[in-house]
Structure formats: C-alpha cells, structure tokens
Amino acid sequence: MSPHSALPHVAPQPRLSDFFQGLGLLGRAFSLILRDRRLLLLSALCAAVTAVALVGLVWLLWTYAPGVLGSVWARPESWYGRAAWTTVLVLSSLVLWVVGANVVPPLLLAPLQDPLSELTEEACGGGPSAAFTLAGFLRGLFTGIAHTLARLFFLLAGLAILLPLHLLPGVGSVLWTVLGSLWTMMWMAGEFLAAPMTRHLYPFAEVRRMMRERRALCLGLGAGIYVLLWVPILNAFFLPVAIVAGTLLYGGLREARLLPPPPGESSTAALK
C-alpha cells in the first residue's frame, strides 16, 4: 500500500455502503500507524495515558454511580424493583463510561492530537506542516476551543433529551441506552473528523454539513470507534486510531472535492 492509497476513495454521492467504508477507516488507521515509526511511537504514548484514564473511569463509576443513582431513586425493597434499579445503574454506567472515555483522554492528550493528525497527513503525502506562527497558533487555539465546546454541548444535549426515556417502565432504559449509543457514535465521528478540520480552521458549520450529507460514512466511523472502546487492550489505542482515522476521512473528503480548500489556503493545499 502506497502512502497516498491510505486515503479512502469517497464516492461523490452518499450510498448505504458508506457505513462499511467508515468502519474500514479503523483498519486503514491501524495499518498506517504500524507502518510509520513516528505515528507508532506517538500512539504508544497516547495508549499508555488512555489506559490509565479508562481504568480510572471504571473505578469512579464503580465507586460513585450507585450513590448518585440512589440519591435520585432509592433502591427498592422488592426483588423486581431491585432488578429494575440495577438495570438502570448498569445501562447508565455503560453509556457514561463511553462518554467519559471520549472526554477525559482527549483532554489529557490535547497537546498530542494535532501532532498525530499532522503526521498522518505527512504519511499520506501531504508534505510537512506549515511553519509555526503566533497568529496561526492563536487562531487554531480559539477555533479548537469553540469546536470542543460546541461538540460537548451537542453530546450532552442529545443525551439529556433522551433522559426521560428512563421513565418508561421496562423498556425505557434499554431505549435510552440504544439511542444514546447511536447518538454517541455520531458524536464520535464529528469529534474526530473535526480534529483535522479545526487545525485547518474550517468553521464548525462545515463539520456539521459533512456529518449531515455523509451520514452513513460518519456513522460507520463512529460505530467502529465505539466498538473499539469495548475491546480490552486494543481500547487503549482508541484515541490515536480515531484521530488517524478521522484525518484519513478528512483527506478522502478533500480528495473527492466534497470539502472546499481550508480557509486561507489555495486549492493546491496538502492532501491533493
């Protein structure tokens, strides 16, 4: 596989098979990481930090989640009441663990995300990164903060809207878990597609447009990352793999001319 062929060939029009192409981005990301020494070393560092964060999240939920649930819904005395209470606890904890996994490690590893994305573009033939300038750094910093706040708002707002489903007896918690997981998958896709787009100073509206127009492709990427989180050992690498996969998707969208050139760059920018 040549470096340039790591980029996916994105069809001009949406299609159902885009979902599987989105899933396949994780395999492309793993392959590229294993073939590039710099990506591998940086990914190993990310994996070590992520592993500690994921274990810490499990400990926090195990220790405090029962008390938090008990403060809003006292544990019933009847066996069927306890079964329902435990079901809500387990399902809610699973979704909260996934949400935490997509908030805590990225915050801890924020300084390494842009270098990972830049190295991915270089490995795909995009050329070296632009020279550092204070103005460019500040623009990227403020754009990144704005994107992060917007993404967190959409994630939490979606889960909050679904929260009343818990009031439905029996199936409510199951529905909340299923729909909350689907929402989180889409959010994951936006999170990691936005990483390279933020660095190139695209407005957040462009991220939303790509997610709306190529819904199946983005859902496939998000579903792959979501499943990866549940695979022991490999889940420590979910963040670097997700960043590389999101950058490959960005490159594929640029190759397919579905994204305009980045603001301030000519049409001969990298990844062409």
Side-chain angles (χ1 to χ4, degrees), residues 58-75:
V58 170
W59 178 82
L60 285 172
L61 288 170
W62 181 270
T63 303
Y64 296 105
V68 172
L69 179 59
S71 67
V72 295
W73 179 17
R75 188 175 182 181

Side-chain angles (χ1 to χ4, degrees), residues 46-181:
C46 290
V49 176
T50 301
V52 173
L54 294 181
V55 171
L57 285 170
V58 170
W59 178 82
L60 285 172
L61 288 170
W62 181 270
T63 303
Y64 296 105
V68 172
L69 179 59
S71 67
V72 295
W73 179 17
R75 188 175 182 181
E77 295 297 328
S78 62
W79 69 267
Y80 52 85
R82 289 197 303 270
W85 190 90
T86 303
T87 299
V88 171
L89 174 65
V90 171
L91 294 179
S92 299
S93 296
L94 291 177
V95 174
L96 290 174
W97 183 79
V98 172
V99 172
N102 279 275
V103 173
V104 178
L107 287 176
L108 295 176
L109 295 169
L112 299 180
Q113 292 192 49
D114 279 356
L116 264 172
S117 184
E118 290 171 356
L119 286 176
T120 302
E121 291 189 10
E122 288 185 36
C124 292
S129 306
F132 174 85
T133 63
L134 180 60
F137 170 77
L138 291 176
R139 283 198 306 271
L141 177 63
F142 288 122
T143 302
I145 291 173
H147 280 213
T148 298
L149 291 175
R151 293 194 299 267
L152 286 175
F153 170 79
F154 282 117
L155 172 65
L156 297 177
L159 293 176
I161 290 172
L162 296 172
L163 199 59
L165 288 173
H166 280 304
L167 299 176
L168 296 175
V171 299
S173 296
V174 175
L175 282 174
W176 185 82
T177 302
V178 172
L179 295 178
S181 297

Side-chain angles (χ1 to χ4, degrees), residues 248-259:
L248 293 177
L249 176 57
Y250 162 74
L253 294 171
R254 286 287 310 278
E255 285 271 305
R257 304 294 192 270
L258 296 174
L259 271 174

